[in-house]
Amino acid sequence: MSDSSHTTTLPPRFEDAQLDHLVVLIADMLQRLIIHNDKIPLSPESLTRFHSRSPPAITVLEYLRRIAKYTNVERTCLIITLHYIDQICARVARFTISSLTVHRFIIASIAVSSKALCDVFCTNSFYAKVGGLRVMELNVLEKDLLAAIDWRLTCTRELLQEYYVNLVRTHSTGQYKIDDLQVPLTSSASDISRSPSASPVIPAKQEQDPDPLAIAEPSSVLMGKTVSPPSSPPAQTGPSALEQNMAFAALQVVMSPCVGASILPEKRTSAHLVDQPDVDTIRPVKRKLGT
């Protein structure tokens, strides 16, 4: 990451932005969501198949860069992940993007969006290997994600552009800006908010972070309010870890062993992520014409 005093000018269209710049912008937004949503106590009824027993050791930025490196992901598929977050948060009230859910959500989102939007995409075995999951886990995550967003896998290009503009404007370090000479008309918050397909748009300046003890509502990307991140992420404290363990224990009591085993994946860290996927044995799938 470059020094925050250095300003990087980005192209007005997200399609023209460097892939790593998009990765950095998206990781920054997700990290702010994690910091906000990790303050919400975990309850058994809020657990999903996206939850890990403990946060993986790999950071969101490193995870996204790994996916971008090995899967040749399209820019549209990266940004539409934020749209999927807004959709699932609107439809599933208790779901939040947190340190326990973000990694599984990202790899499932990239897998389904690549299949929906791209002519060439990878197999689930390859996505699972890159994401550090078993292929059966990824298959279940795909199914749950599709059901949660009601198979609404596409959106307008203008909405994706609005996500891009807001990512730049609300970046925590303020080191990015969009070239003012050729800003597209759709980058205006007022223009996109009048579009019937658009979600509510966050303001250019973020609201001040309220008292952490008063925070009770989950945060999404464009829907609802956005909180400014603290200077450094809070460390995982004893009470929070205890609440998570109690929630998992309570879930195991009320669910049968076979269901509990599938919804409670084993603890995974960066050690489960291979250094180099075997691209010689797992090849991308090319969509056939007429299908």
Side-chain angles (χ1 to χ4, degrees):
M1 179 73 66
S2 17
D3 186 19
S4 58
S5 61
H6 173 69
T7 301
T8 303
T9 302
L10 302 180
R13 293 161 44 93
F14 74 86
E15 298 94 333
D16 301 327
Q18 292 184 21
L19 191 64
D20 192 65
H21 286 159
L22 286 180
V23 167
V24 171
L25 290 170
I26 293 171
D28 179 78
M29 170 62 75
L30 293 178
Q31 187 59 42
R32 281 181 281 154
L33 292 180
I34 291 169
I35 292 172
H36 179 273
N37 293 333
D38 276 354
K39 299 173 185 176
I40 303 173
L42 187 65
S43 59
E45 58 270 18
S46 66
L47 291 175
T48 67
R49 296 186 189 272
F50 292 97
H51 280 81
S52 304
R53 289 184 180 272
S54 62
I58 186 171
T59 67
V60 174
L61 178 58
E62 292 170 343
Y63 197 64
L64 282 170
R65 279 178 168 161
R66 176 183 173 83
I67 293 173
K69 176 180 179 180
Y70 293 124
T71 67
N72 195 27
V73 62
E74 296 285 344
R75 289 161 177 78
T76 299
C77 297
L78 281 175
I79 295 185
I80 206 170
T81 298
L82 304 178
H83 179 54
Y84 293 167
I85 292 174
D86 274 347
Q87 284 196 84
I88 194 172
C89 288
R91 294 171 178 272
V92 184
R94 293 188 178 93
F95 181 82
T96 59
I97 289 294
S98 67
S99 57
L100 299 179
T101 61
V102 64
H103 295 80
R104 281 179 166 80
F105 189 91
I106 288 173
I107 192 62
S109 173
I110 295 297
V112 299
S113 62
S114 297
K115 296 174 186 178
L117 306 175
C118 304
D119 291 330
V120 178
F121 50 89
C122 302
T123 63
N124 270 22
S125 297
F126 189 84
Y127 286 124
K129 196 168 186 179
V130 172
L133 301 174
R134 293 172 296 180
V135 65
M136 292 182 61
E137 286 183 272
L138 181 57
N139 292 343
V140 173
L141 293 178
E142 272 192 326
K143 181 180 178 181
D144 283 13
L145 175 58
L146 291 170
I149 64 176
D150 194 27
W151 292 78
R152 299 177 185 271
L153 295 170
T154 62
C155 67
T156 64
R157 186 263 170 200
E158 289 75 19
L159 183 56
L160 295 181
Q161 177 67 25
E162 188 62 29
Y163 278 104
Y164 170 64
V165 171
N166 280 287
L167 285 174
V168 176
R169 290 177 175 172
T170 62
H171 189 264
S172 59
T173 66
Q175 74 174 88
Y176 294 100
K177 71 174 184 177
I178 293 180
D179 185 2
D180 295 331
L181 298 180
Q182 298 179 349
V183 176
L185 295 177
T186 55
S187 64
S188 167
S190 58
D191 289 342
I192 192 68
S193 63
R194 288 195 294 267
S195 172
S197 62
S199 302
V201 179
I202 58 176
K205 292 185 178 180
Q206 300 173 343
E207 299 176 6
Q208 184 177 3
D209 193 359
D211 183 357
L213 297 179
I215 295 177
E217 296 296 329
S219 176
S220 55
V221 182
L222 292 186
M223 305 176 69
K225 66 180 180 179
T226 304
V227 292
S228 301
S231 56
S232 60
Q236 184 74 16
T237 60
S240 297
L242 180 61
E243 289 173 351
Q244 294 175 3
N245 291 335
M246 292 176 62
F248 279 113
L251 185 67
Q252 287 177 311
V253 171
V254 300
M255 299 187 68
S256 63
C258 61
V259 176
S262 62
I263 199 172
L264 297 177
E266 60 181 337
K267 178 180 178 182
R268 294 186 180 273
T269 64
S270 58
H272 291 78
L273 299 174
V274 294
D275 292 333
Q276 171 67 50
D278 188 359
V279 295
D280 293 330
T281 57
I282 308 178
R283 301 181 181 278
V285 176
K286 187 173 183 180
R287 192 186 304 278
K288 297 180 180 179
L289 296 178
T291 60

